[in-house]
Amino acid sequence: MAGSHARPPMDLDRDLEIDPAEWSRPDTYDLVTALVVPRPIAWVSTVSPGGHRNLAPHSYFNLVADHPVHVAFSSVGVKDTLRNIRATGEFVVNIAGQPLLSALDATAADVEPECDEFMIAGVTPEPARCVQAPRVAEAPAHFECVLADEVPVGNCILIIGRVVHVHVAPSVWSRRRVDPAALDPTVRLSRRYGMLAPVFTPEESPSPHVLAE
Ligand SMILES: Cc1cc2nc3c(=O)[nH]c(=O)nc-3n(C[C@H](O)[C@H](O)[C@H](O)COP(=O)(O)O)c2cc1C
């Protein structure tokens, strides 16, 4: 069945009903990345076998298991981050708060593999506890990961990491848990950035007691 619109209209005067494969890749990208929002951003640090540090943001990212803890992000094609993870089997997900937004954004630049993106971003590499990849010292939280699996999906490669170490700074901790307002993470909305909306629990919500949903 033909879709309702061959391309994104300026204004939508009737419902959009499409097979996303019928749209160009940029148009489909704009559509779906504006609907899956907000996306957390994994600021992934790696090191090459030759010792070159690498840092890059990935918003196709989420927690995918909590026992043992696994996170996953997608590499759109083969990039330095993926090459380093394949070579070393390790990476760090740095959780960047709003003060690090400009630095994070700077590391999306397409640069030579030898180029130290910690330098480009003006952030400090510090040793991780359990992996060779460095942490961003200024980030308030870190997941140190070992590669568990990689799965090709469409034009992407899904990287699944087992989290072998978690670090949280005291500045984002309150009353036995991470305080989302203090963490104040950078999030992705369409091609733009955003912040966390106000955090609340609906009255009568069962969710605080539910571990597996
Ligand atoms: C906020 C943001 C989110 C991004 N998310 C992704 C992503 O999920 N996957 C991806 O492959 N590239 C993503 N990119 C683009 C990469 O960061 C960019 O291609 C980078 O140069 C890759 O670096 P590398 O070659 O050092 O791995 C994103 C860029 C920005 C600014």
Side-chain angles (χ1 to χ4, degrees), residues 46-71:
T46 54
V47 65
S48 73
H52 295 107
R53 290 186 285 258
N54 195 87
L55 191 54
H58 292 78
S59 73
Y60 291 179
F61 165 63
N62 225 307
L63 178 69
V64 293
D66 58 67
H67 187 71
V69 180
H70 286 74
V71 293

Side-chain angles (χ1 to χ4, degrees), residues 92-104:
V92 174
V93 173
N94 303 272
I95 306 294
Q98 292 289 334
L100 287 168
L101 194 146
S102 301
L104 175 144

Side-chain angles (χ1 to χ4, degrees), residues 54 56-60 74-76 79-81 108-109 117 188 193:
N54 195 87
H58 292 78
S59 73
Y60 291 179
S74 257
S75 179
V76 186
K79 302 178 179 181
D80 295 336
T81 299
E117 284 159 321
R188 197 65 160 161
Y193 291 100

Side-chain angles (χ1 to χ4, degrees), residues 96-173:
Q98 292 289 334
L100 287 168
L101 194 146
S102 301
L104 175 144
D105 192 57
T107 61
D110 188 12
V111 295
E112 295 300 310
E114 297 75 27
C115 199
D116 184 342
E117 284 159 321
F118 281 73
M119 294 264 291
I120 290 178
V123 292
T124 317
E126 71 172 10
R129 291 289 173 94
C130 298
V131 298
Q132 292 301 312
R135 296 179 185 172
V136 173
E138 290 83 356
H142 304 89
F143 292 124
E144 297 181 11
C145 304
V146 295
L147 178 64
D149 206 354
E150 66 164 82
V151 183
V153 186
N155 62 335
C156 293
I157 299 109
L158 182 69
I159 305 299
I160 303 171
R162 183 165 60 84
V163 176
V164 293
H165 187 81
V166 180
H167 160 254
V168 179
S171 58
V172 299
W173 191 265

